[in-house]
């Protein structure tokens, strides 16, 4: 599975669980919840093996204190042996889908694809879940993300997403790929939130063999459509500042992050 990750020597896999009759079979692995569709994440781009799980853990700890952020799919470390051959340390995760997010048949779920161009929605988004016609869904996305009407986006969720992109200098998540778009139906229309995934290129990681901490320390990073939200909400920067100050006393504090890193390193050492 994956794009660039699939070309790596250490392969990632997608696993579908079946019963003896060939039907989908849910199984709760490592206490992550019951599902039949799993990701065996090679975490090959990160030699520390902790960046992705650190990002997920920090986001989920923050999300637990809100009613507008969906949790990312957590993962558990596992050593993989296939057909008697040892493949190394992996991260076992559920996929982000309608079942994981608890979406109704009226809700919509899309996944960003490898593009930065908002004008061509057919190329920019993959439809994961909907009961509507494809053309209508893409028209809906064009109206939301054509940089003129982003009012359906949850402002607090957008700010938190930008906070994490900045905190982790998440190069792969600042664009429109590696983000899920969750449109929940309501009487007033669709309410849209963002959920990130594939966060291994973060915390100083630029590519497979490149570490670039200086750029992360000395440059800002935020979603390219943030200026639209600033225009839509004149108090955007004030709300972002207040949220940042709040998070620096909890999930974003140095002590909290260092403790999280130490716990992950202990877990890998134990494994």
């Amino acid at each position: 599975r994956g794009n660039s990750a699939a070309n790596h020597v250490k392969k990632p896999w997608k696993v579908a669980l079946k019963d003896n009759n060939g039907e989908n079979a849910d199984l709760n692995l490592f206490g992550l919840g019951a599902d039949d569709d799993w990701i065996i994440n090679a975490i090959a781009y990160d030699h520390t093996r902790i960046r992705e799980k650190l990002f997920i853990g920090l986001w989920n700890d923050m999300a637990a204190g809100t009613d507008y952020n969906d949790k990312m799919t957590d993962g558990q470390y596992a050593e993989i042996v296939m057909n008697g051959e040892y493949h190394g340390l992996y991260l076992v995760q559920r996929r982000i889908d309608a079942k994981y997010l608890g979406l109704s048949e009226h809700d919509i779920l899309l996944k960003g694809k490898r593009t930065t161009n908002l004008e061509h929605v057919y190329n920019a988004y993959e439809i994961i879940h909907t009961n509507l016609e494809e053309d209508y869904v893409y028209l809906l996305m064009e109206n939301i993300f054509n940089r003129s009407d982003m009012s359906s986006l949850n402002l607090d969720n957008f700010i938190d997403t930008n906070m994490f992109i900045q905190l982790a200098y998440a190069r792969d998540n600042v664009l429109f790929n590696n983000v899920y778009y969750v449109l929940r139906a309501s009487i007033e229309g669709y309410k849209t939130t963002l959920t990130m995934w594939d966060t291994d290129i973060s915390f100083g990681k630029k590519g497979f063999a490149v570490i670039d901490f200086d750029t992360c320390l000395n440059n800002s990073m935020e979603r390219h459509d943030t200026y639209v939200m600033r225009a839509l909400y004149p108090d955007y920067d004030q709300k972002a500042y207040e949220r940042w100050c709040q998070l620096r006393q909890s999930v974003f504090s140095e002590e909290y992050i260092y403790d999280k890193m130490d716990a992950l390193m202990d877990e890998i050492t134990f494994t």
Side-chain angles (χ1 to χ4, degrees):
R1 68 173 300 277
N3 292 304
S4 58
N7 297 317
H8 197 272
V9 174
K10 186 183 179 187
K11 301 294 184 185
W13 290 293
K14 179 170 63 176
V15 174
L17 302 179
K18 307 288 184 180
D19 61 21
N20 291 335
N21 297 319
E23 301 294 330
N24 293 340
D26 287 346
L27 187 64
N28 188 335
L29 300 179
F30 306 110
L32 296 173
D35 212 329
D36 64 299
D37 206 353
W38 293 84
I39 294 169
I40 312 298
N41 182 351
I43 46 178
Y45 280 105
D46 175 21
H47 290 164
T48 72
R49 306 294 188 248
I50 71 168
R51 281 182 172 86
E52 193 151 10
K53 200 168 184 338
L54 174 63
F55 195 117
I56 293 169
L58 291 173
W59 174 270
N60 286 349
D61 289 349
M62 182 200 68
T66 72
D67 59 1
Y68 51 81
N69 288 317
D70 290 302
K71 289 187 176 182
M72 297 174 65
T73 54
D74 201 355
Q76 290 295 333
Y77 291 118
E79 292 180 287
I80 301 298
V81 178
M82 183 180 295
N83 298 328
E85 180 181 354
Y86 179 73
H87 287 264
L89 186 68
Y90 281 72
L91 194 63
V92 179
Q93 299 174 273
R94 292 176 63 184
R95 291 182 64 196
I96 294 179
D97 54 20
K99 178 164 59 175
Y100 177 78
L101 295 172
L103 301 183
S104 75
E105 62 176 323
H106 304 293
D107 299 329
I108 301 172
L109 177 64
L110 302 100
K111 182 169 70 172
K113 296 162 67 175
R114 300 185 68 83
T115 180
T116 61
N117 192 339
L118 285 176
E119 308 305 323
H120 303 290
V121 291
Y122 285 87
N123 296 326
Y125 309 102
E126 175 188 356
I127 298 174
I128 304 299
H129 170 78
T130 187
N131 65 354
L132 302 173
E133 293 291 332
E134 179 180 283
D135 287 345
Y136 178 81
V137 174
Y138 281 122
L139 178 61
L140 185 66
M141 289 301 288
E142 187 171 21
N143 290 336
I144 293 173
F145 289 103
N146 66 359
R147 306 189 184 194
S148 63
D149 180 14
M150 296 173 65
S151 58
S152 83
L153 276 170
N154 182 291
L155 175 60
D156 293 320
N157 166 260
F158 190 93
I159 288 174
D160 282 358
T161 301
N162 253 347
M163 291 291 183
F164 258 82
I165 288 171
Q166 178 65 71
L167 176 74
Y169 210 77
R171 288 176 169 90
D172 273 3
N173 307 93
V174 73
L175 305 177
F176 303 100
N177 60 308
N178 294 350
V179 176
Y180 281 90
Y181 302 85
V182 187
L183 284 68
R184 288 185 168 88
S186 70
I187 297 175
E188 297 82 13
Y190 288 102
K191 305 299 182 182
T192 306
T193 55
L194 310 174
T195 300
M196 290 174 288
W197 69 286
D198 193 10
T199 56
D200 55 344
I201 305 300
S202 56
F203 297 109
K205 193 68 176 171
K206 185 175 182 180
F208 176 64
V210 180
I211 303 294
D212 188 15
F213 290 119
D214 288 339
T215 299
C216 300
L217 288 171
N218 298 307
N219 292 275
S220 62
M221 177 177 284
E222 60 186 12
R223 280 179 59 94
H224 296 178
D225 51 358
T226 303
Y227 75 92
V228 184
M229 295 295 279
R230 284 195 173 98
L232 190 61
Y233 299 99
D235 61 342
Y236 178 95
D237 287 324
Q238 180 62 32
K239 289 180 69 69
Y241 169 74
E242 292 171 358
R243 180 61 167 155
W244 174 261
C245 291
Q246 179 189 49
L247 290 170
R248 282 288 286 167
Q249 302 302 312
S250 56
V251 180
F252 281 12
S253 71
E254 292 182 17
E255 182 180 5
Y256 194 98
I257 295 172
Y258 287 152
D259 286 347
K260 205 84 171 176
M261 292 169 64
D262 289 341
L264 290 174
M265 292 304 298
D266 289 344
E267 190 173 348
I268 290 176
T269 302
F270 175 78
T271 300

